[in-house]
Amino acid sequence: DTAVSQTPKYLVTQMGNDKSIKCEQNLGHDTMYWYKQDSKKFLKIMFSYNNKELIINETVPNRFSPKSPDKAHLNLHINSLELGDSAVYFCASSHMRVQETQYFGPGTRLLVL
Amino acid sequence: GESVGLHLPTLSVQEGDNSIINCAYSNSASDYFIWYKQESGKGPQFIIDIRSNMDKRQGQRVTVLLNKTVKHLSLQIAATQPGDSAVYFCAENINDYKLSFGAGTTVTVRA
């Protein structure tokens, strides 16, 4: 059984396009996160949502808009994609706070051409 | 094998030897620390955590040591196996909803 799932796994697109990444967790967690991992493997938080409410927005450009339709889902929409957006995006979830184990999804590899 | 200093991006270790991965954290107020393992093409996977009221915690073949005086965290892996080859990240909590990750150490196990 998949705990945290993401779709698609790979995403190749042209500069200027708009794309979405979907995330779902079946762990019953209240908090979900989006992370960006760059080519040097550096992992950085983008957003945290608790009970569908935005808690953390780490100075991410407005082109990135997360949406949480319910506690089990946190989607990421990216407008006007730029070359620098190429990275691996990970979704994660935890019960309430980060002090409770975060479970990560398999990642979405985004390549902007 | 051991990564020395604050951080080394790579660590090569002989199969069967013990590995030590070091990490320096930045926030004196952090009270929760975690080690994650990331295998190629996969998401980070929880290994072990430790809270600031402890200085040592043991799991299966892994031990985490916390030195709050010098803001240092280490992960020890006993009898390193080929399946331990991965990138290892330490992380600290900045607040209740944010983890800050270290740069990662790539561990390669030699047969």
Side-chain angles (χ1 to χ4, degrees):
Chain A
D1 287 346
T2 303
V4 182
S5 59
Q6 294 178 229
T7 54
K9 186 168 184 179
Y10 298 96
L11 191 50
V12 181
T13 188
Q14 298 288 330
M15 239 179 4
N17 284 350
D18 303 338
K19 290 292 178 186
S20 291
I21 307 171
K22 295 188 176 183
C23 177
E24 177 180 2
Q25 53 93 5
N26 63 4
L27 298 167
H29 287 165
D30 293 304
T31 306
M32 296 184 73
Y33 313 82
W34 276 111
Y35 287 87
K36 179 180 180 180
Q37 187 172 48
D38 63 21
S39 58
K40 296 182 180 177
K41 298 286 189 182
F42 188 64
L43 199 59
K44 186 167 167 46
I45 183 74
M46 299 173 69
F47 302 103
S48 295
Y49 266 75
N50 176 257
N51 282 317
K52 303 193 299 176
E53 288 194 20
L54 181 65
I55 304 294
I56 297 282
N57 180 342
E58 276 295 294
T59 59
V60 178
N62 290 338
R63 298 183 295 105
F64 290 79
S65 52
K67 280 191 172 55
S68 183
D70 54 59
K71 285 197 313 184
H73 296 85
L74 180 62
N75 303 323
L76 183 65
H77 188 76
I78 316 171
N79 290 325
S80 303
L81 278 154
E82 300 177 358
L83 295 177
D85 297 331
S86 295
V88 184
Y89 292 85
F90 288 101
C91 177
S93 72
S94 67
H95 263 298
M96 284 294 293
R97 307 167 302 155
V98 297
Q99 290 89 334
E100 298 170 62
T101 306
Q102 282 190 32
Y103 293 86
F104 282 77
T108 295
R109 285 139 191 87
L110 171 64
L111 178 60
V112 182
L113 301 173
Chain B
E2 179 174 357
S3 69
V4 298
L6 292 181
H7 166 73
L8 252 185
T10 61
L11 175 65
S12 180
V13 60
Q14 186 70 37
E15 182 179 355
D17 286 354
N18 297 334
S19 302
I20 300 175
I21 306 167
N22 295 302
C23 176
Y25 65 90
S26 57
N27 187 358
S28 300
S30 295
D31 60 4
Y32 179 68
F33 306 87
I34 320 100
W35 281 99
Y36 280 92
K37 172 186 180 183
Q38 186 178 21
E39 296 176 270
S40 181
K42 296 184 178 179
Q45 180 185 7
F46 172 86
I47 302 173
I48 192 168
D49 59 3
I50 189 167
R51 298 184 190 274
S52 58
N53 60 354
M54 303 172 70
D55 52 23
K56 180 179 179 179
R57 190 161 188 230
Q58 288 184 290
Q60 190 176 13
R61 283 201 307 119
V62 294
T63 301
V64 56
L65 298 177
L66 175 63
N67 184 331
K68 294 181 287 293
T69 304
V70 295
K71 293 192 283 187
H72 183 266
L73 193 65
S74 69
L75 177 71
Q76 300 176 4
I77 306 173
T80 312
Q81 302 169 357
D84 295 327
S85 293
V87 180
Y88 290 81
F89 295 95
C90 65
E92 60 179 312
N93 72 313
I94 302 301
N95 55 43
D96 283 348
Y97 295 100
K98 180 181 173 184
L99 286 179
S100 177
F101 282 77
T105 296
T106 301
V107 173
T108 303
V109 181
R110 305 188 305 272

